[in-house]
Amino acid sequence: QQKDKTYKLSIMHTNDTHAHIDNVAKLATAVKEVRAAKPDSLLLSAGDVFSGTLYFNEFKGQADLEFMNLLKYDMMTFGNHEFDLGASPEGHQALADFVKNAKFPFVSSNVNFSKDDKLKNLYKGYSLKYKNGNIYSAMIKKVNGENVGFIGLTTEETKDISSPENVKFENYIREATKDVKLLELLGVNKIVAVTHLGYDDNPEYDNDLNLAKYVDGIDVIVGGHSHTQLNAPVVVTTDEKGKKKDPTVIVQAYQYEEYLGTLDVEFNKKGVVTGQAGQLIKLADKADDPEAAQLLKKYSSKIAELKNKPTGGVAAKALANPRGDTGVSVRSSETELGNLITDGMLDKAKDFNPNIVASFQNGGGIRAPIDQGDITYGDVLTTLPFGNTLATMKLTGSEIKTALEHSVSQEPKENGGFLHMSGMKLTYDSTKPAGNRVVTMELKNADGTFTPLDLNKEYVIATNAFTAKGGDGFTVFQNAYNQGRVTDLGLSDWENLRDYVAELGTVNPQIEKRIVDVARP
Ligand code: ATP
Ligand code: ZN
């Protein structure tokens, strides 16, 4: 490389692929085409490989990984969903296996693994020489004849929306600043951040636009999390005070292996970006790569079998799972599917403890609708994909009220922590300030009549382990958990739903005005 010439860095990137490996043979073709033209092009993943399809339920990331190894990914950072199995009996075993079997390293500047037995030994901090199957806070890689520095960042929101358990997320600005400085001290002046923060996500947590503004020295951000389709790179040229700064180029490639992102960046000899061009290559237009297509059969045949296996339950009608900040949403309103799931939870929990009065399911945990007709294993597993266990919890009436206030606090906006319920009914007023919305809470008696909840009495309720441990910001549940008032029954949610629909035979849940906003017509 002649010193007076500009330096060119070429990157391919994916993010939020979420176990959608049905597209992987087309991705393989696109990657090969780019490499044929630009042999030095890197291939990076900005996280969220885990969770989303039956491939994940069945193979726990190892199917995706086989293709990532085949395609020779160079590096990955962790998405929030990589921590989804933390609350399972195996803890972060699937993630540890994913890291160990990867033929590429992981970069992660703000995630603290030191309290997790499965992951802490894979974390090597900073090292000039990296090895595959390990995690580094920052890395230097020789690309096209020059050293390029890499850092990785994962959204702090992970603690609320996934199950990281003992894994902690440090402040992204602080950790990024520290690692960029370190790389610069080592003489690296071209720096790429591989991030799972979201492009313009909730700034109360973190996002790429703010990363570009607040942290000096990052030249390129390869992002994920917000599933943003950036058809062309975005260039940030001002800092947080609006002052001119060296350019930072941000890219993100939508989701589900629908696109391969490509980016070419030109640097001057000081390591300042002087030009960039990038695009998203649409994979639907590509032919299948024969080797990848052949390999996929091994996994897809297994999935097809599982998908079509009947549970014995038959849906009398389609059970929708609507989303959106206006109208009916599973994250802001009672739904037939929410009623079915909570009825199944209550039914199962009562086998263990007949005193249980009600059950709750977070709307954000109901991930897919169920079609009319035969309900298959595939339906049940895609509707409840997290492998949650059923937990019972002792709470006072007043604590239940606190939880229900939290549940309806964000309406009309969606809230992953909106609680569906069985065994009780709730009315509230969304025109009142958050925290002051609950109007009535009544428990259903065996004869079908209702009795008001007594704020001073202690009750036992059932919910999933994610919610019981305080997921979605339920601190009142988290307190009960920390005080030993939660019993995990160890029964997985999808198996409970499978058994419940089989028991019902004909599945026909109704809207019963269990949850009513008195302000809504
Ligand atoms: P992305 O796929 O880009 O990361 P996301 O998962 O961050 O999206 P959402 O689709 O809003 O964003 O999912 C977050 C919601 O998922 C949480 O609010 C929570 O309700 C639910 N959730 C996450 N993990 C679990 C779990 N283990 N059990 C039940 N619900 C969960
Ligand atoms: Zn995602």
Side-chain angles (χ1 to χ4, degrees), residues 310-319 340 370-376 379-380 497-509:
T311 59
V314 181
K317 61 189 171 200
L319 303 175
L340 175 71
I370 290 180
D371 293 339
Q372 186 176 13
D374 283 333
I375 301 176
T376 63
D379 293 327
V380 171
L497 182 59
R498 174 198 64 189
D499 295 348
Y500 188 59
V501 298
E503 195 182 304
L504 290 175
T506 301
V507 177
N508 194 13

Side-chain angles (χ1 to χ4, degrees), residues 16 18 48 81 196 225 227:
D16 300 278
H18 287 293
D48 271 7
H81 282 281
H196 197 86
H225 187 45
H227 298 220

Side-chain angles (χ1 to χ4, degrees), residues 136-156:
Y136 297 90
S137 72
M139 293 180 9
I140 299 175
K141 194 175 168 75
K142 193 153 237 171
V143 189
N144 190 14
E146 287 201 29
N147 280 337
V148 179
F150 295 87
I151 66 166
L153 297 164
T154 303
T155 178
E156 278 187 69

